[in-house]
Amino acid sequence: MKPAEAEAGWSQWPAPAKLNLCLRIVGRRADGYHRLQTVFRLLDWGDTIRLRPRTDGVVARHGASAPGVEAAGDLTVRAAKLLRRESNTAQGVDIVVEKRIPVGGGFGGGSSDAATVLRALDRLWALDLGQERLAALGLQLGADVPVFVRGRNAWAEEVGERLTPLDLPPAWYVLADPGVHVATAELFQAAELTRNAAPATISDFVSGASLGNAFEPVLRRREPAVEAVFAALSRVGSPRLTGTGSGCFVEFPDRESAEAALARLPTGLRAWMARGAAHSPLVDALEAWQQRQAGGTAHTSS
């Protein structure tokens, strides 16, 4: 961030993308929601959220966010208003969203943006609600928000909110966006969707069992653009679908392998690289902010 922006009260926060390394539907709950099993892998790449606290209670987004998303429906605005209401604070905030994560790709952009707003404003507004309460608030905004609030790679169950932290090996990914946006609700209603897979375990995943993504065959049959991306990525590895979006990825053990694969892909394919993160870059940003605040306080006290 430029010094002038920092002086004007703005702070800058990462909102990382995620991958679902697998996604299974193992049944349906009494409330009608599907019971899921997935592995969330956070990436060292994503959107950027800029925040400037204000004292008049107004929550305002400045500039565009995702295409077609009005400010009132933006998850960042909804997250700030939810936090303001639940904490009974009179504070407000200006929000700028710098989008990089494709909309509808299954990379978790909206959920991550919301989680970053919750975590960052908890600090900027000096609320100190803690991860547990912030994760519970996040779940009101979306099933994927809690994993971003907690900031750890995780094995997830139920609607995705039951999280078990998972240490994943270093990896790089080639990501591709077919540019297709299919409503999640529509996919869940697909007749050909497998909804009763045998429950898997963390041990199954760690041992290398192929757990798959229940939505992959559905999207590949329905969307020629997704099938075309799978065909292109198959030249360099074993492609997978992430989440319930159209985004695809191939995993590599190191940067050099990912770079070589990316160079072999057809011109015109929207593809890029990202590193798998050991934990969310937001965690590092929050720690750095806390250290700067402590340093400033110590300097003032002296």
Side-chain angles (χ1 to χ4, degrees), residues 199-259:
T201 64
I202 295 177
S203 296
D204 291 331
F205 172 77
V206 172
S207 67
S210 179
L211 301 182
N213 183 324
F215 297 92
E216 179 186 314
V218 178
L219 269 167
R220 290 180 68 178
R221 280 195 294 268
R222 290 189 172 198
E223 300 292 341
V226 174
E227 180 60 30
V229 168
F230 261 81
L233 292 179
S234 294
R235 304 177 190 177
V236 298
S238 300
R240 286 179 268 177
L241 190 79
T242 178
T244 60
S246 61
C248 310
F249 68 95
V250 178
E251 182 176 299
F252 297 92
D254 51 56
R255 179 179 186 134
E256 292 73 21
S257 301
E259 285 179 337

Short mmCIF file of all heavy atoms in Angstrom, two decimals, residues 199-259:
data_model
loop_
_atom_site.label_atom_id
_atom_site.label_comp_id
_atom_site.label_asym_id
_atom_site.label_seq_id
_atom_site.Cartn_x
_atom_site.Cartn_y
_atom_site.Cartn_z
N PRO A 199 -19.16 -42.90 2.95
CA PRO A 199 -18.34 -41.94 3.69
C PRO A 199 -16.86 -42.32 3.65
O PRO A 199 -16.51 -43.50 3.79
CB PRO A 199 -18.89 -42.01 5.11
CG PRO A 199 -20.30 -42.49 4.94
CD PRO A 199 -20.25 -43.45 3.77
N ALA A 200 -16.02 -41.32 3.45
CA ALA A 200 -14.57 -41.53 3.45
C ALA A 200 -14.01 -41.02 4.78
O ALA A 200 -14.73 -40.47 5.62
CB ALA A 200 -13.94 -40.79 2.28
N THR A 201 -12.72 -41.21 4.97
CA THR A 201 -12.05 -40.76 6.18
C THR A 201 -10.83 -39.94 5.80
O THR A 201 -10.37 -39.96 4.65
CB THR A 201 -11.59 -41.95 7.05
OG1 THR A 201 -10.59 -42.69 6.31
CG2 THR A 201 -12.76 -42.87 7.38
N ILE A 202 -10.30 -39.23 6.79
CA ILE A 202 -9.06 -38.48 6.56
C ILE A 202 -7.95 -39.43 6.14
O ILE A 202 -7.14 -39.12 5.26
CB ILE A 202 -8.66 -37.70 7.82
CG1 ILE A 202 -9.71 -36.62 8.12
CG2 ILE A 202 -7.28 -37.06 7.66
CD1 ILE A 202 -9.45 -35.83 9.39
N SER A 203 -7.93 -40.61 6.74
CA SER A 203 -6.92 -41.61 6.39
C SER A 203 -7.02 -42.02 4.93
O SER A 203 -6.01 -42.23 4.26
CB SER A 203 -7.06 -42.84 7.29
OG SER A 203 -6.80 -42.50 8.63
N ASP A 204 -8.25 -42.12 4.41
CA ASP A 204 -8.44 -42.44 3.00
C ASP A 204 -7.77 -41.38 2.13
O ASP A 204 -7.07 -41.69 1.16
CB ASP A 204 -9.93 -42.51 2.65
CG ASP A 204 -10.63 -43.70 3.29
OD1 ASP A 204 -9.97 -44.72 3.52
OD2 ASP A 204 -11.84 -43.58 3.57
N PHE A 205 -8.00 -40.11 2.48
CA PHE A 205 -7.41 -39.03 1.70
C PHE A 205 -5.89 -39.04 1.79
O PHE A 205 -5.20 -38.95 0.77
CB PHE A 205 -7.96 -37.68 2.18
CG PHE A 205 -7.27 -36.50 1.54
CD1 PHE A 205 -7.57 -36.12 0.24
CD2 PHE A 205 -6.29 -35.80 2.24
CE1 PHE A 205 -6.91 -35.06 -0.36
CE2 PHE A 205 -5.63 -34.73 1.65
CZ PHE A 205 -5.95 -34.36 0.35
N VAL A 206 -5.38 -39.14 3.00
CA VAL A 206 -3.93 -39.09 3.20
C VAL A 206 -3.23 -40.25 2.50
O VAL A 206 -2.11 -40.11 1.99
CB VAL A 206 -3.61 -39.09 4.71
CG1 VAL A 206 -2.11 -39.24 4.95
CG2 VAL A 206 -4.12 -37.82 5.37
N SER A 207 -3.90 -41.40 2.43
CA SER A 207 -3.29 -42.57 1.80
C SER A 207 -3.29 -42.48 0.27
O SER A 207 -2.72 -43.34 -0.41
CB SER A 207 -4.02 -43.85 2.23
OG SER A 207 -5.34 -43.87 1.71
N GLY A 208 -3.95 -41.45 -0.26
CA GLY A 208 -3.95 -41.26 -1.71
C GLY A 208 -5.14 -41.85 -2.43
O GLY A 208 -5.15 -41.91 -3.67
N ALA A 209 -6.16 -42.27 -1.67
CA ALA A 209 -7.37 -42.80 -2.32
C ALA A 209 -8.01 -41.74 -3.20
O ALA A 209 -8.02 -40.56 -2.86
CB ALA A 209 -8.36 -43.27 -1.25
N SER A 210 -8.52 -42.16 -4.34
CA SER A 210 -9.17 -41.24 -5.27
C SER A 210 -10.60 -40.98 -4.80
O SER A 210 -11.48 -41.81 -4.99
CB SER A 210 -9.16 -41.82 -6.69
OG SER A 210 -9.81 -40.96 -7.58
N LEU A 211 -10.83 -39.82 -4.19
CA LEU A 211 -12.13 -39.52 -3.61
C LEU A 211 -13.02 -38.72 -4.57
O LEU A 211 -14.22 -38.67 -4.40
CB LEU A 211 -11.97 -38.76 -2.29
CG LEU A 211 -11.16 -39.51 -1.21
CD1 LEU A 211 -11.11 -38.70 0.07
CD2 LEU A 211 -11.76 -40.89 -0.94
N GLY A 212 -12.41 -38.07 -5.56
CA GLY A 212 -13.16 -37.43 -6.63
C GLY A 212 -13.98 -36.22 -6.21
O GLY A 212 -13.99 -35.80 -5.06
N ASN A 213 -14.68 -35.67 -7.19
CA ASN A 213 -15.60 -34.56 -6.98
C ASN A 213 -16.93 -34.95 -7.63
O ASN A 213 -17.00 -35.19 -8.83
CB ASN A 213 -15.05 -33.27 -7.63
CG ASN A 213 -15.94 -32.06 -7.39
OD1 ASN A 213 -17.16 -32.15 -7.37
ND2 ASN A 213 -15.31 -30.91 -7.23
N ALA A 214 -17.97 -35.02 -6.81
CA ALA A 214 -19.28 -35.49 -7.29
C ALA A 214 -19.83 -34.65 -8.43
O ALA A 214 -20.63 -35.13 -9.24
CB ALA A 214 -20.27 -35.51 -6.12
N PHE A 215 -19.40 -33.39 -8.50
CA PHE A 215 -19.95 -32.49 -9.51
C PHE A 215 -19.18 -32.53 -10.83
O PHE A 215 -19.66 -32.00 -11.83
CB PHE A 215 -19.97 -31.06 -8.97
CG PHE A 215 -20.87 -30.90 -7.78
CD1 PHE A 215 -20.37 -31.05 -6.50
CD2 PHE A 215 -22.22 -30.66 -7.94
CE1 PHE A 215 -21.19 -30.93 -5.39
CE2 PHE A 215 -23.06 -30.54 -6.85
CZ PHE A 215 -22.55 -30.68 -5.57
N GLU A 216 -18.01 -33.15 -10.83
CA GLU A 216 -17.19 -33.17 -12.05
C GLU A 216 -17.89 -33.83 -13.23
O GLU A 216 -17.99 -33.22 -14.31
CB GLU A 216 -15.85 -33.84 -11.77
CG GLU A 216 -14.95 -33.93 -13.00
CD GLU A 216 -13.69 -34.72 -12.73
OE1 GLU A 216 -13.06 -34.50 -11.69
OE2 GLU A 216 -13.35 -35.58 -13.57
N PRO A 217 -18.41 -35.06 -13.10
CA PRO A 217 -19.06 -35.67 -14.27
C PRO A 217 -20.29 -34.90 -14.73
O PRO A 217 -20.59 -34.85 -15.92
CB PRO A 217 -19.43 -37.08 -13.78
CG PRO A 217 -19.39 -37.01 -12.29
CD PRO A 217 -18.37 -35.98 -11.95
N VAL A 218 -20.99 -34.27 -13.78
CA VAL A 218 -22.19 -33.50 -14.14
C VAL A 218 -21.80 -32.30 -15.00
O VAL A 218 -22.38 -32.07 -16.07
CB VAL A 218 -22.93 -33.03 -12.86
CG1 VAL A 218 -24.14 -32.18 -13.24
CG2 VAL A 218 -23.35 -34.22 -12.02
N LEU A 219 -20.81 -31.55 -14.55
CA LEU A 219 -20.40 -30.35 -15.28
C LEU A 219 -19.74 -30.69 -16.61
O LEU A 219 -19.93 -30.00 -17.61
CB LEU A 219 -19.47 -29.50 -14.42
CG LEU A 219 -20.15 -28.45 -13.55
CD1 LEU A 219 -19.21 -27.89 -12.51
CD2 LEU A 219 -20.72 -27.33 -14.40
N ARG A 220 -18.97 -31.75 -16.63
CA ARG A 220 -18.29 -32.11 -17.88
C ARG A 220 -19.29 -32.53 -18.95
O ARG A 220 -19.09 -32.27 -20.14
CB ARG A 220 -17.27 -33.23 -17.62
CG ARG A 220 -16.07 -32.77 -16.81
CD ARG A 220 -15.08 -33.88 -16.57
NE ARG A 220 -14.42 -34.28 -17.83
CZ ARG A 220 -13.47 -35.21 -17.89
NH1 ARG A 220 -13.07 -35.84 -16.79
NH2 ARG A 220 -12.92 -35.51 -19.04
N ARG A 221 -20.39 -33.17 -18.54
CA ARG A 221 -21.42 -33.55 -19.51
C ARG A 221 -22.26 -32.36 -19.95
O ARG A 221 -22.67 -32.26 -21.10
CB ARG A 221 -22.32 -34.64 -18.92
CG ARG A 221 -21.73 -36.05 -18.98
CD ARG A 221 -22.78 -37.09 -18.73
NE ARG A 221 -23.31 -37.02 -17.37
CZ ARG A 221 -22.83 -37.73 -16.35
NH1 ARG A 221 -21.82 -38.56 -16.53
NH2 ARG A 221 -23.36 -37.63 -15.15
N ARG A 222 -22.51 -31.45 -19.03
CA ARG A 222 -23.42 -30.34 -19.31
C ARG A 222 -22.74 -29.16 -20.00
O ARG A 222 -23.39 -28.42 -20.73
CB ARG A 222 -24.05 -29.84 -18.01
CG ARG A 222 -25.03 -30.80 -17.39
CD ARG A 222 -25.75 -30.14 -16.23
NE ARG A 222 -26.84 -30.97 -15.73
CZ ARG A 222 -27.84 -30.52 -14.98
NH1 ARG A 222 -27.90 -29.23 -14.66
NH2 ARG A 222 -28.78 -31.33 -14.56
N GLU A 223 -21.45 -28.95 -19.72
CA GLU A 223 -20.78 -27.74 -20.19
C GLU A 223 -19.60 -28.08 -21.09
O GLU A 223 -18.55 -28.51 -20.61
CB GLU A 223 -20.30 -26.91 -18.98
CG GLU A 223 -21.43 -26.46 -18.06
CD GLU A 223 -22.34 -25.45 -18.73
OE1 GLU A 223 -21.93 -24.84 -19.74
OE2 GLU A 223 -23.47 -25.25 -18.23
N PRO A 224 -19.72 -27.90 -22.39
CA PRO A 224 -18.61 -28.18 -23.32
C PRO A 224 -17.34 -27.42 -22.97
O PRO A 224 -16.24 -27.94 -23.18
CB PRO A 224 -19.18 -27.73 -24.67
CG PRO A 224 -20.66 -27.84 -24.52
CD PRO A 224 -20.95 -27.48 -23.10
N ALA A 225 -17.47 -26.22 -22.44
CA ALA A 225 -16.28 -25.43 -22.09
C ALA A 225 -15.48 -26.09 -20.98
O ALA A 225 -14.24 -26.07 -20.99
CB ALA A 225 -16.69 -24.01 -21.67
N VAL A 226 -16.17 -26.71 -20.03
CA VAL A 226 -15.48 -27.42 -18.94
C VAL A 226 -14.78 -28.66 -19.49
O VAL A 226 -13.62 -28.94 -19.16
CB VAL A 226 -16.47 -27.80 -17.82
CG1 VAL A 226 -15.79 -28.66 -16.76
CG2 VAL A 226 -17.07 -26.54 -17.20
N GLU A 227 -15.47 -29.39 -20.34
CA GLU A 227 -14.87 -30.58 -20.95
C GLU A 227 -13.64 -30.20 -21.78
O GLU A 227 -12.62 -30.92 -21.77
CB GLU A 227 -15.90 -31.30 -21.82
CG GLU A 227 -15.38 -32.57 -22.50
CD GLU A 227 -14.90 -33.61 -21.52
OE1 GLU A 227 -15.43 -33.68 -20.38
OE2 GLU A 227 -13.99 -34.38 -21.88
N ALA A 228 -13.69 -29.06 -22.47
CA ALA A 228 -12.56 -28.62 -23.27
C ALA A 228 -11.36 -28.29 -22.40
O ALA A 228 -10.20 -28.60 -22.76
CB ALA A 228 -12.95 -27.40 -24.10
N VAL A 229 -11.59 -27.67 -21.25
CA VAL A 229 -10.49 -27.36 -20.33
C VAL A 229 -9.90 -28.63 -19.75
O VAL A 229 -8.68 -28.76 -19.63
CB VAL A 229 -10.98 -26.40 -19.21
CG1 VAL A 229 -9.93 -26.30 -18.10
CG2 VAL A 229 -11.26 -25.02 -19.78
N PHE A 230 -10.74 -29.60 -19.42
CA PHE A 230 -10.24 -30.89 -18.93
C PHE A 230 -9.34 -31.54 -19.99
O PHE A 230 -8.29 -32.10 -19.67
CB PHE A 230 -11.39 -31.81 -18.55
CG PHE A 230 -11.69 -31.84 -17.08
CD1 PHE A 230 -12.44 -30.83 -16.49
CD2 PHE A 230 -11.20 -32.85 -16.27
CE1 PHE A 230 -12.71 -30.83 -15.14
CE2 PHE A 230 -11.47 -32.87 -14.92
CZ PHE A 230 -12.22 -31.86 -14.35
N ALA A 231 -9.77 -31.49 -21.23
CA ALA A 231 -8.98 -32.08 -22.31
C ALA A 231 -7.62 -31.40 -22.43
O ALA A 231 -6.58 -32.06 -22.61
CB ALA A 231 -9.74 -31.99 -23.62
N ALA A 232 -7.60 -30.06 -22.32
CA ALA A 232 -6.35 -29.32 -22.42
C ALA A 232 -5.43 -29.63 -21.24
O ALA A 232 -4.22 -29.87 -21.42
CB ALA A 232 -6.64 -27.82 -22.48
N LEU A 233 -5.99 -29.65 -20.02
CA LEU A 233 -5.18 -29.91 -18.83
C LEU A 233 -4.68 -31.35 -18.79
O LEU A 233 -3.64 -31.64 -18.17
CB LEU A 233 -5.98 -29.59 -17.57
CG LEU A 233 -6.30 -28.11 -17.32
CD1 LEU A 233 -7.12 -27.96 -16.04
CD2 LEU A 233 -5.04 -27.28 -17.24
N SER A 234 -5.41 -32.26 -19.44
CA SER A 234 -5.00 -33.67 -19.45
C SER A 234 -3.66 -33.86 -20.16
O SER A 234 -2.99 -34.89 -19.96
CB SER A 234 -6.07 -34.52 -20.13
OG SER A 234 -7.27 -34.54 -19.36
N ARG A 235 -3.26 -32.89 -20.96
CA ARG A 235 -1.97 -32.98 -21.64
C ARG A 235 -0.80 -32.82 -20.66
O ARG A 235 0.32 -33.23 -20.96
CB ARG A 235 -1.85 -31.89 -22.70
CG ARG A 235 -2.95 -31.88 -23.75
CD ARG A 235 -2.77 -30.72 -24.70
NE ARG A 235 -3.92 -30.54 -25.59
CZ ARG A 235 -4.03 -29.56 -26.47
NH1 ARG A 235 -3.04 -28.68 -26.61
NH2 ARG A 235 -5.11 -29.45 -27.22
N VAL A 236 -1.07 -32.20 -19.50
CA VAL A 236 0.04 -31.90 -18.58
C VAL A 236 -0.12 -32.58 -17.23
O VAL A 236 0.77 -32.48 -16.37
CB VAL A 236 0.17 -30.38 -18.37
CG1 VAL A 236 0.48 -29.68 -19.69
CG2 VAL A 236 -1.08 -29.79 -17.73
N GLY A 237 -1.23 -33.28 -16.99
CA GLY A 237 -1.42 -33.92 -15.70
C GLY A 237 -2.81 -34.48 -15.56
O GLY A 237 -3.49 -34.76 -16.55
N SER A 238 -3.23 -34.64 -14.30
CA SER A 238 -4.56 -35.20 -14.00
C SER A 238 -5.46 -34.08 -13.47
O SER A 238 -5.37 -33.72 -12.30
CB SER A 238 -4.45 -36.31 -12.96
OG SER A 238 -3.63 -37.35 -13.43
N PRO A 239 -6.31 -33.51 -14.33
CA PRO A 239 -7.14 -32.38 -13.91
C PRO A 239 -8.25 -32.79 -12.95
O PRO A 239 -8.75 -33.91 -12.99
CB PRO A 239 -7.71 -31.85 -15.22
CG PRO A 239 -7.68 -33.00 -16.14
CD PRO A 239 -6.51 -33.84 -15.74
N ARG A 240 -8.62 -31.84 -12.11
CA ARG A 240 -9.73 -32.01 -11.18
C ARG A 240 -10.58 -30.74 -11.18
O ARG A 240 -10.11 -29.67 -11.54
CB ARG A 240 -9.21 -32.27 -9.75
CG ARG A 240 -8.64 -33.66 -9.53
CD ARG A 240 -8.14 -33.82 -8.11
NE ARG A 240 -6.73 -33.47 -7.99
CZ ARG A 240 -6.05 -33.47 -6.84
NH1 ARG A 240 -6.68 -33.75 -5.71
NH2 ARG A 240 -4.77 -33.15 -6.82
N LEU A 241 -11.82 -30.89 -10.74
CA LEU A 241 -12.73 -29.77 -10.58
C LEU A 241 -12.66 -29.30 -9.14
O LEU A 241 -12.49 -30.11 -8.22
CB LEU A 241 -14.16 -30.21 -10.91
CG LEU A 241 -15.22 -29.11 -11.04
CD1 LEU A 241 -15.10 -28.45 -12.42
CD2 LEU A 241 -16.62 -29.71 -10.87
N THR A 242 -12.78 -27.99 -8.92
CA THR A 242 -12.80 -27.49 -7.55
C THR A 242 -14.20 -27.05 -7.17
O THR A 242 -14.88 -26.34 -7.93
CB THR A 242 -11.82 -26.32 -7.35
OG1 THR A 242 -11.93 -25.86 -5.99
CG2 THR A 242 -12.08 -25.17 -8.30
N GLY A 243 -14.66 -27.48 -6.01
CA GLY A 243 -15.95 -27.07 -5.50
C GLY A 243 -17.10 -27.43 -6.42
O GLY A 243 -17.09 -28.46 -7.10
N THR A 244 -18.09 -26.55 -6.44
CA THR A 244 -19.24 -26.73 -7.32
C THR A 244 -19.18 -25.75 -8.49
O THR A 244 -20.18 -25.55 -9.20
CB THR A 244 -20.56 -26.51 -6.55
OG1 THR A 244 -20.56 -25.17 -6.02
CG2 THR A 244 -20.70 -27.49 -5.41
N GLY A 245 -18.01 -25.15 -8.70
CA GLY A 245 -17.84 -24.23 -9.81
C GLY A 245 -17.25 -24.93 -11.02
O GLY A 245 -17.14 -26.15 -11.06
N SER A 246 -16.85 -24.11 -11.99
CA SER A 246 -16.31 -24.69 -13.22
C SER A 246 -14.78 -24.68 -13.24
O SER A 246 -14.18 -25.16 -14.20
CB SER A 246 -16.83 -23.89 -14.42
OG SER A 246 -16.41 -22.54 -14.34
N GLY A 247 -14.15 -24.12 -12.22
CA GLY A 247 -12.70 -24.03 -12.18
C GLY A 247 -12.05 -25.40 -12.10
O GLY A 247 -12.54 -26.31 -11.43
N CYS A 248 -10.93 -25.54 -12.79
CA CYS A 248 -10.19 -26.80 -12.85
C CYS A 248 -8.75 -26.57 -12.41
O CYS A 248 -8.23 -25.45 -12.47
CB CYS A 248 -10.21 -27.37 -14.26
SG CYS A 248 -11.86 -27.46 -15.01
N PHE A 249 -8.08 -27.64 -12.01
CA PHE A 249 -6.70 -27.50 -11.58
C PHE A 249 -5.94 -28.81 -11.73
O PHE A 249 -6.53 -29.90 -11.81
CB PHE A 249 -6.63 -27.03 -10.12
CG PHE A 249 -7.11 -28.04 -9.10
CD1 PHE A 249 -6.24 -28.90 -8.45
CD2 PHE A 249 -8.47 -28.14 -8.80
CE1 PHE A 249 -6.69 -29.82 -7.52
CE2 PHE A 249 -8.94 -29.06 -7.86
CZ PHE A 249 -8.04 -29.91 -7.22
N VAL A 250 -4.61 -28.67 -11.81
CA VAL A 250 -3.70 -29.81 -11.79
C VAL A 250 -2.64 -29.53 -10.74
O VAL A 250 -2.13 -28.40 -10.65
CB VAL A 250 -3.02 -30.03 -13.16
CG1 VAL A 250 -2.05 -31.20 -13.10
CG2 VAL A 250 -4.07 -30.27 -14.24
N GLU A 251 -2.33 -30.52 -9.92
CA GLU A 251 -1.37 -30.35 -8.83
C GLU A 251 0.03 -30.78 -9.27
O GLU A 251 0.18 -31.78 -9.99
CB GLU A 251 -1.80 -31.18 -7.62
CG GLU A 251 -0.88 -31.03 -6.41
CD GLU A 251 -1.40 -31.78 -5.20
OE1 GLU A 251 -2.51 -31.44 -4.74
OE2 GLU A 251 -0.72 -32.71 -4.74
N PHE A 252 1.05 -30.04 -8.81
CA PHE A 252 2.45 -30.34 -9.09
C PHE A 252 3.27 -30.23 -7.81
O PHE A 252 2.91 -29.46 -6.92
CB PHE A 252 3.01 -29.38 -10.16
CG PHE A 252 2.31 -29.51 -11.49
CD1 PHE A 252 1.22 -28.70 -11.79
CD2 PHE A 252 2.74 -30.43 -12.43
CE1 PHE A 252 0.55 -28.83 -13.00
CE2 PHE A 252 2.09 -30.56 -13.64
CZ PHE A 252 1.00 -29.76 -13.93
N PRO A 253 4.38 -30.96 -7.72
CA PRO A 253 5.16 -30.94 -6.49
C PRO A 253 5.99 -29.69 -6.28
O PRO A 253 6.41 -29.39 -5.17
CB PRO A 253 6.06 -32.17 -6.63
CG PRO A 253 6.20 -32.35 -8.11
CD PRO A 253 4.88 -31.95 -8.69
N ASP A 254 6.28 -28.95 -7.38
CA ASP A 254 7.14 -27.77 -7.24
C ASP A 254 6.81 -26.74 -8.31
O ASP A 254 6.08 -27.02 -9.27
CB ASP A 254 8.62 -28.17 -7.32
CG ASP A 254 8.92 -29.02 -8.55
OD1 ASP A 254 8.61 -28.58 -9.67
OD2 ASP A 254 9.45 -30.14 -8.38
N ARG A 255 7.37 -25.55 -8.14
CA ARG A 255 7.08 -24.44 -9.05
C ARG A 255 7.56 -24.74 -10.47
O ARG A 255 6.87 -24.41 -11.44
CB ARG A 255 7.75 -23.17 -8.52
CG ARG A 255 7.52 -21.97 -9.42
CD ARG A 255 8.16 -20.70 -8.90
NE ARG A 255 7.79 -19.59 -9.74
CZ ARG A 255 7.37 -18.42 -9.32
NH1 ARG A 255 7.24 -18.19 -8.03
NH2 ARG A 255 7.08 -17.44 -10.17
N GLU A 256 8.75 -25.33 -10.58
CA GLU A 256 9.32 -25.58 -11.90
C GLU A 256 8.41 -26.48 -12.73
O GLU A 256 8.21 -26.24 -13.93
CB GLU A 256 10.71 -26.19 -11.76
CG GLU A 256 11.77 -25.26 -11.19
CD GLU A 256 11.61 -25.00 -9.70
OE1 GLU A 256 10.94 -25.83 -9.02
OE2 GLU A 256 12.13 -23.97 -9.22
N SER A 257 7.87 -27.51 -12.12
CA SER A 257 6.98 -28.43 -12.83
C SER A 257 5.70 -27.71 -13.28
O SER A 257 5.21 -27.92 -14.39
CB SER A 257 6.61 -29.62 -11.95
OG SER A 257 7.76 -30.34 -11.55
N ALA A 258 5.17 -26.86 -12.40
CA ALA A 258 3.96 -26.10 -12.74
C ALA A 258 4.23 -25.12 -13.87
O ALA A 258 3.41 -24.97 -14.79
CB ALA A 258 3.44 -25.37 -11.51
N GLU A 259 5.38 -24.45 -13.83
CA GLU A 259 5.74 -23.50 -14.89
C GLU A 259 5.86 -24.20 -16.24
O GLU A 259 5.39 -23.70 -17.26
CB GLU A 259 7.04 -22.79 -14.55
CG GLU A 259 6.90 -21.74 -13.47
CD GLU A 259 8.23 -21.08 -13.14
OE1 GLU A 259 9.30 -21.71 -13.39
OE2 GLU A 259 8.22 -19.94 -12.63
#
